[in-house]
Amino acid sequence: MEIHSHTGGPVATNGYIVADQRTGHAAIIDAPHGVAAPLLAIAARRKWTVKYLLLTHGHWDHTADHQLITDAFPAARVLIHRLDEPKLTQPGSAMFPIPFVIPSRKADAYLEDNAEVSLGDGKLVVMFTPGHAPGHVCLYSAADSVLFAGDLLFAQSIGRTDLPDSNPRDMQTSLQRVMHLPDETLVYSGHGPSTTIGRERQINPWLQSR
Ligand SMILES: [Zn+2]
Ligand SMILES: [Zn+2]
C-alpha cells in the first residue's frame, strides 16, 4: 500500500492517506485541521477513491476536518470505535478553546477489535487500544508491516493519560499489546515523527522496566 502523511492544526496532528495501488481504493486515517485538503489533493492527483475515514479516536485534533472528506467523497464511510463516538456527535474540548467549529456527525459504522478494513488487495486490522481515550484504536497492516498508532505510542513518548476520558491502567495493557508486534513494524503516530516498534522497545523511556 502507498502511504502519505500531512501535519496540521493547533497541536500539530498527523493525518494519513493509505491506498491500494492496483484498485486505487484509499482510506484517510484521522482528519486534523488543515490536513484533509492536502490529503484529498494527493487522492485527486492519483485518481484514488477515498472509501473510509478511519478515526483512531474522537479527540477534536483528530476529527476536525471530517466533513471536508465526506464532502469530497460522499460515499466515504466514517468509522470510529463506539466508545469514542460521543466525541464525534458532540465535538469540542473542555480543556482547550478550539479556534474553529467542528461539525457534529454520527459514525457510519464502528471499528471493532480485530475487524478488518479492506482496501482493494490490502487490509488494515483494527486493534482496540484504550487508555488515552476509551475508544482508541490502532490500525495494523501485517503485509506492509505498518502500525497507525494514533495517540497510543509516539517516538520516544506515549499518549497522555491525564485527560478526563483517559485510563492509565488500560494504557499499559494497550502498549504491551502493540509492543508484541515485530520489531521492524513502522509506527505512524498521531503526533511527531515515525518510528519502529523495535526502536521504541530499545529507547522509549515510557516502555522501560515494564
Ligand atoms: Zn488524543
Ligand atoms: Zn492527538
Side-chain angles (χ1 to χ4, degrees):
M1 292 194 285
E2 187 174 335
I3 298 165
H4 298 269
S5 70
H6 204 88
T7 307
V11 293
T13 307
N14 298 326
Y16 299 90
I17 187 165
V18 44
D20 171 57
Q21 283 127 324
R22 188 182 66 80
T23 59
H25 291 182
I28 289 177
I29 299 173
D30 287 343
H33 186 66
V35 164
L39 293 183
L40 289 167
I42 292 169
R45 256 198 314 274
R46 288 175 165 63
K47 300 191 164 42
W48 289 343
T49 304
V50 176
K51 297 277 198 183
Y52 301 103
L53 169 59
L54 307 175
L55 296 169
T56 58
H57 61 301
H59 288 157
W60 63 271
D61 60 311
H62 296 255
T63 64
D65 272 3
H66 69 78
Q67 196 167 77
L68 291 178
I69 293 161
T70 51
D71 282 349
F73 289 93
R77 302 177 79 208
V78 178
L79 273 50
I80 191 169
H81 192 278
R82 72 173 72 242
L83 293 178
D84 259 39
E85 189 189 32
K87 293 191 283 287
L88 190 59
T89 52
Q90 294 168 281
S93 168
M95 300 176 67
F96 189 96
I98 304 173
F100 41 80
V101 173
I102 303 175
S104 163
R105 72 160 292 143
K106 287 170 88 68
D108 294 310
Y110 297 116
L111 293 171
E112 314 264 10
D113 193 29
N114 295 319
E116 294 182 355
V117 178
S118 292
L119 288 174
D121 301 330
K123 70 176 180 191
L124 295 164
V125 176
V126 178
M127 296 177 77
F128 179 49
T129 48
H132 172 73
H136 189 285
V137 301
C138 296
L139 296 151
Y140 176 59
S141 166
D144 293 271
S145 200
V146 56
L147 178 76
F148 295 94
D151 285 1
L152 173 65
L153 177 64
F154 305 127
Q156 298 184 53
S157 187
I158 61 171
R160 293 173 64 164
T161 53
D162 61 340
L163 301 170
D165 60 344
S166 299
N167 182 318
R169 191 182 295 249
D170 287 350
M171 189 72 169
Q172 289 309 317
T173 308
S174 296
L175 284 166
Q176 282 169 19
R177 184 173 177 197
V178 299
M179 293 316 290
H180 281 112
L181 296 174
D183 276 352
E184 65 273 17
T185 307
L186 254 173
V187 178
Y188 289 119
S189 301
H191 302 272
S194 62
T195 181
T196 66
I197 290 290
R199 184 172 158 81
E200 293 313 306
R201 197 190 309 284
Q202 285 190 332
I203 65 168
N204 190 318
W206 299 88
L207 298 174
Q208 305 309 313
S209 73
R210 291 198 176 99

